Amino acid sequence: AVPVDLRPRVPGLRNTGNITNLVYLDIAKEDTPATLGNTMKQQMDERRDGELYRVDALVRFLPLRMIRRLLKSEIARKPETGLYRNSGIISNMGRIPAEYFSGGGFNATALLGIPPSIDVVPFFIGTAGLKKHLEIILSMPNALAGGGRIEQVMKRLSEEMKPAPAR
């Protein structure tokens, strides 16, 4: 699941809130970054990035007590079955100008994001660039993050990430 910014749908909209929805990618071994990018672009062109599913439309008619019970039940089953709605969420906020967070003698050199904790998703990775740094944030449900797993994931990400070739 890849978050997609929906703000361009309303020309001239000025908002700093999180106005996103998801496009879903089923990744096969033969896929490349180009084929995945094309799939995302096609979904966005077809406006499938803001698509609601039948169940989503029905949720507004359910009492909050029932929704809470259903979610708690789903969360409890995930670690036992290993079956999740998707394998994870990746959100890239892009390069953020440091001057937006600098002033009065303070010069920002890094940023910190607070990753959402979503117990029905096995992991969330958020990335953002500030100057020459890439910040990576990661969250996992407690049931998956223990035993050094979250540290191993971060270690592997930091070892495998390489700068893009100069353009």
Side-chain angles (χ1 to χ4, degrees):
V2 181
V4 176
D5 187 354
L6 297 177
R7 285 179 283 215
R9 296 276 175 89
V10 181
L13 176 68
R14 295 175 54 94
N15 186 305
T16 58
N18 181 1
I19 303 177
T20 60
N21 208 333
L22 304 170
V23 294
Y24 293 94
L25 300 173
D26 292 320
I27 302 173
K29 286 183 180 182
E30 61 273 6
D31 281 326
T32 65
T35 61
L36 295 173
N38 290 337
T39 301
M40 283 181 56
K41 183 178 180 333
Q42 180 181 355
Q43 286 188 44
M44 290 165 42
D45 289 346
E46 294 171 0
R47 292 189 173 222
R48 291 179 17 219
D49 51 332
E51 188 171 79
L52 290 178
Y53 300 94
R54 278 184 261 156
V55 172
D56 295 333
L58 296 175
V59 166
R60 65 186 171 144
F61 298 108
L62 297 175
L64 289 176
R65 206 174 42 231
M66 181 183 287
I67 294 169
R68 188 177 301 116
R69 194 172 350 119
L70 290 168
L71 284 172
K72 283 183 177 183
S73 172
E74 181 179 354
I75 289 167
R77 284 191 318 269
K78 296 299 180 191
E80 295 169 9
T81 64
L83 300 174
Y84 290 83
R85 292 181 188 188
N86 53 42
S87 55
I89 296 176
I90 300 172
S91 181
N92 179 8
M93 295 173 278
R95 292 237 174 254
I96 299 172
E99 58 270 13
Y100 288 2
F101 303 100
S102 300
F106 175 80
N107 293 313
T109 59
L111 60 89
L112 172 70
I114 300 173
S117 176
I118 309 169
D119 285 327
V120 295
V121 177
F123 75 87
F124 172 92
I125 294 177
T127 64
L130 187 64
K131 296 189 178 187
K132 295 182 180 189
H133 300 286
L134 174 67
E135 306 290 341
I136 300 173
I137 58 172
L138 170 68
S139 67
M140 298 171 87
N142 287 339
L144 297 177
R149 183 180 282 167
I150 198 166
E151 292 84 1
Q152 291 171 2
V153 171
M154 287 304 288
K155 183 175 187 245
R156 175 117 187 242
L157 281 172
S158 66
E159 289 171 354
E160 297 289 332
M161 298 287 284
K162 307 251 185 299
R167 294 183 184 190

